[in-house]
Amino acid sequence: MTIATVPTEPITGQKPGTSGLRKKTQVFMQRHYLENFVQAIFDAIGGADGKTFVVGGDGRYFNDRAVQVILRMAAANGAAKVLVGQGGILSTPAASHLIRLNETDGGIILSASHNPGGPDEDFGIKFNMPNGGPAPESVTSAMYDAASSMTEYRVYESHDIDLSAIGTHAVGDMTVEVLDPVADYADLMETLFDFDAIRAMIAGGFRVRMDSMCAVTGPYGVEILENRLGAPRGTVVNRQPLPDFGGMHPDPNPVWAKMLMDEMWGADAPDFGAASDGDGDRNMIVGPEVYVSPSDSLAVIAANAHLAKGYTDGLKGVARSMPTSGAVDRVAAAKGLDCFETPTGWKFFGNLMDAGRVSLCGEESFGTGSDHVREKDGLWAVLMWLNILAKRGEGVGAVMASHFAEYGRNYYSRHDYEALENAKAEGLLSALTARFADLPGMEVEGMTIASADIFKYEDPVDGSVSDNQGWRIVFEDGSRIVMRLSGTGTTGATLRVYLERYVAGPDGLDEEPQAALGPIIRAARSLSDMETHIGRTEPDVIT
Ligand code: G16
């Protein structure tokens, strides 16, 4: 076995987005593409010499090949050891946990999250830091700089490592340890939640449905829900991770998790339903004919987390991304907790958690999690909900109704306009920016605009500043419109329009969200002159 130093050239577009580098799989499969970026990761973190990393992915098409390349490149760059999930599989939260548990120097996670997988779909790669969290902007910028001036990469010329069984191997001087991807994560969940109470609830006839969408959480769901909590076999559906997710779009929302939604709205629906995404960090929670929006889920968890044994002392503080509804803010205010508003991207929560300022974070994009790892965590949210329901002895609908009665309701929806021409989407936002100075005081749809600005974040821990993190229009009654371009898509631009309206109650807590948000939706379309800029006013996906 020898180390080859392979001459290469920079490849344009290797700029990490909201969560690592995501491109079409075919792009990643181009000659040198993956290798250049992996070398850029090692260069950006000061080299791999003597370091230990965690490596794994969500099992999508090309995962198996990419893991082998990373192992050979880690060895050639002097890494001492790599911990890799059996079969090259690790959910994102499980990878984050392994990084922390083993005090490694970070990890490389292969996933394009909720995006579909397959040779003609999406692939992705990201680096997580020694704290287990996604690399911050300073590090992803360094990766981009390294990739932009790449002239060579180092790779071991060796056979593939057998990752099909647990065991230890060597690539040159580097040790490769193949681990059970599920065991340590499942053990961690047992320390946080009251498994006895959940087990008793299930034994008493409470029926759970978990849709793993043929993605990575299948084995995790089976081990935790069926093997450890006693749910009947078959509780976890679409449980076999497949390279193309069985053709499913593993995005746990009412549109893409339609099979689950149909079951939860059907006759004899289970008592609780949940779905997760490609790499297991997202979640959707549903009850019989009750959809819990991610923003509301975060608020309910903030209000009830003390019922779970890992959180009995209460929360240190909470954080949400700026476009996420203010439902959690109301719980934080009632409980006297600090509440932080960050840009979109889990990486912005890391500093707050490391500094002990928050222990619960969440985003409207179906992400919730705590400081048990440094990623959002789909199954964690499912178990938190089951723990809350078991301890309260109530169903999802009853919990939501009493939450709204106590705190009021933040009606909320996100409208996505996908595959837009980049220039048109950017044109809409720059034209909107040009109007911002004139908007305060203007009346639209019977509401008066209080302020209009572009969200800028200054990290309270390290002082770093992130600009242009969302266009906000706030009305005098607190209703909001937020717009931004997605940083995770791979085809053109996706315009996200976030809509929110607060109703204090006791009346008006039971409206259909799109109807309740009607004036805000119309205001968003007219204020942004949507029809003129992008030629349409109907979104592709409503969540
Ligand atoms: C990623 C980030 C999240 C973010 C989401 C949507 O999630 O980790 O923090 O909210 O993308 O981002 P955007 O609106 O820019 O598309 P995931 O699950 O895709 O890794």
Side-chain angles (χ1 to χ4, degrees):
M1 291 195 291
T2 53
I3 294 176
T5 300
V6 181
T8 185
E9 288 179 351
I11 301 174
T12 50
Q14 294 202 322
K15 187 174 172 54
T18 307
S19 183
L21 186 67
R22 289 189 192 165
K23 299 285 174 191
K24 288 288 167 204
T25 310
Q26 296 287 347
V27 171
F28 267 102
M29 292 172 73
Q30 285 167 27
R31 196 166 141 76
H32 300 323
Y33 195 94
L34 175 68
E35 290 84 348
N36 273 21
F37 193 71
V38 171
Q39 188 64 52
I41 291 176
F42 291 142
D43 292 352
I45 59 166
D49 205 27
K51 293 183 177 173
T52 297
F53 299 107
V54 169
V55 174
D58 64 11
R60 69 180 57 225
Y61 188 86
F62 194 54
N63 188 102
D64 51 352
R65 301 305 318 142
V67 169
Q68 297 290 345
V69 168
I70 293 165
L71 292 176
R72 285 201 283 268
M73 289 188 64
N77 278 272
K81 189 173 182 182
V82 171
L83 308 172
V84 55
Q86 186 179 5
I89 301 288
L90 282 176
S91 78
T92 290
S96 181
H97 177 50
L98 285 176
I99 292 169
R100 296 166 64 77
L101 183 68
N102 296 284
E103 298 182 352
T104 72
D105 299 287
I108 296 179
I109 302 176
L110 303 165
S111 173
S113 186
H114 54 290
N115 297 5
D120 298 318
E121 298 293 353
D122 293 356
F123 193 77
I125 177 169
K126 68 172 177 170
F127 182 77
N128 280 33
M129 305 295 282
N131 74 346
E137 281 187 334
S138 55
V139 178
T140 55
S141 303
M143 287 173 197
Y144 181 52
D145 291 345
S148 302
S149 56
M150 188 64 54
T151 56
E152 60 183 36
Y153 61 81
R154 288 176 292 291
V155 62
Y156 234 101
E157 291 180 330
S158 67
H159 297 298
D160 281 359
I161 299 289
D162 178 11
L163 302 178
S164 65
I166 289 161
T168 303
H169 307 268
V171 183
D173 294 334
M174 185 182 86
T175 304
V176 176
E177 194 178 328
V178 184
L179 303 167
D180 177 339
V182 176
D184 288 321
Y185 175 83
D187 291 349
L188 174 66
M189 293 299 113
E190 289 214 42
T191 68
L192 300 174
F193 300 112
D194 193 336
F195 272 40
D196 288 340
I198 301 173
R199 203 180 288 117
M201 177 174 74
I202 290 172
F206 185 92
R207 289 182 304 144
V208 176
R209 171 69 67 237
M210 167 87 200
D211 189 344
S212 286
M213 302 188 87
C214 300
V216 80
T217 56
Y220 295 85
V222 168
E223 171 62 16
I224 295 170
L225 296 173
E226 299 185 9
N227 297 348
R228 299 198 186 192
L229 289 169
R233 193 178 152 76
T235 293
V236 182
V237 294
N238 295 316
R239 59 206 274 150
Q240 177 65 42
L242 297 171
D244 66 350
F245 305 125
M248 295 182 88
H249 185 153
D251 193 353
N253 64 41
V255 176
W256 294 115
K258 185 169 183 310
M259 196 174 134
L260 176 70
M261 297 303 277
D262 287 348
E263 187 176 4
M264 298 307 294
W265 261 255
D268 199 28
D271 300 293
F272 178 85
S276 59
D277 70 331
D279 60 332
D281 56 2
R282 295 185 177 208
N283 75 90
M284 178 176 73
I285 304 295
V286 267
E289 297 190 28
V290 188
Y291 162 68
V292 182
S293 83
S295 297
D296 287 338
S297 176
L298 176 65
V300 168
I301 291 173
N304 294 280
H306 59 278
L307 299 175
K309 72 178 181 195
Y311 307 88
T312 44
D313 293 342
L315 300 170
K316 293 172 187 152
V318 297
R320 62 166 170 83
S321 66
M322 184 275 284
T324 302
S325 96
V328 72
D329 303 35
R330 296 179 188 280
V331 178
K335 289 183 173 284
L337 296 171
D338 283 342
C339 180
F340 296 87
E341 188 177 44
T342 62
T344 295
W346 204 263
K347 59 193 172 198
F348 292 102
F349 295 134
N351 278 348
L352 293 169
M353 288 195 265
D354 286 348
R357 312 261 307 250
V358 303
S359 45
L360 173 70
C361 305
E363 295 187 278
E364 51 65 40
S365 54
F366 297 84
T368 338
S370 85
D371 55 0
H372 66 290
V373 290
R374 291 293 183 274
E375 286 278 4
K376 55 189 187 273
D377 189 342
L379 267 164
W380 175 91
V382 171
L383 293 168
M384 176 61 94
W385 264 91
L386 289 173
N387 197 138
I388 291 169
L389 299 178
K391 285 296 177 107
R392 288 179 59 133
E394 289 179 326
V396 177
V399 168
M400 292 315 298
S402 68
H403 187 89
F404 293 149
E406 185 168 354
Y407 296 100
R409 180 167 183 180
N410 290 67
Y411 284 100
Y412 187 82
S413 183
R414 186 178 97 188
H415 290 193
D416 289 342
Y417 297 81
E418 297 179 339
L420 304 175
E421 276 178 43
N422 287 307
K424 289 186 175 171
E426 281 157 15
L428 180 148
L429 291 176
S430 50
L432 185 62
T433 311
R435 293 190 67 188
F436 267 9
D438 299 330
L439 292 186
M442 180 190 280
E443 197 161 305
V444 53
E445 295 289 332
M447 306 173 297
T448 306
I449 297 174
S451 66
D453 68 355
I454 301 176
F455 180 54
K456 174 179 175 176
Y457 180 64
E458 184 172 339
D459 187 306
V461 179
D462 67 13
S464 59
V465 172
S466 303
D467 285 317
N468 296 324
Q469 296 296 330
W471 279 247
R472 306 191 275 203
I473 299 170
V474 182
F475 296 92
E476 279 181 350
D477 68 352
S479 299
R480 288 198 307 170
I481 298 166
V482 176
M483 295 193 188
R484 57 180 283 281
L485 300 182
S486 161
T488 57
T490 58
T491 311
T494 295
L495 175 69
R496 302 208 194 283
V497 182
Y498 311 83
L499 307 141
E500 179 176 1
R501 185 182 139 223
Y502 178 66
V503 174
D507 298 325
L509 296 177
D510 246 345
E511 283 182 65
E512 195 282 313
Q514 300 305 315
L517 292 164
I520 323 274
I521 294 169
R522 290 191 293 278
R525 290 174 186 172
S526 66
L527 288 169
S528 66
D529 212 354
M530 199 174 272
E531 175 89 62
T532 308
H533 288 287
I534 62 172
R536 45 192 283 209
T537 52
E538 288 308 316
D540 298 283
V541 177
I542 294 179
T543 53

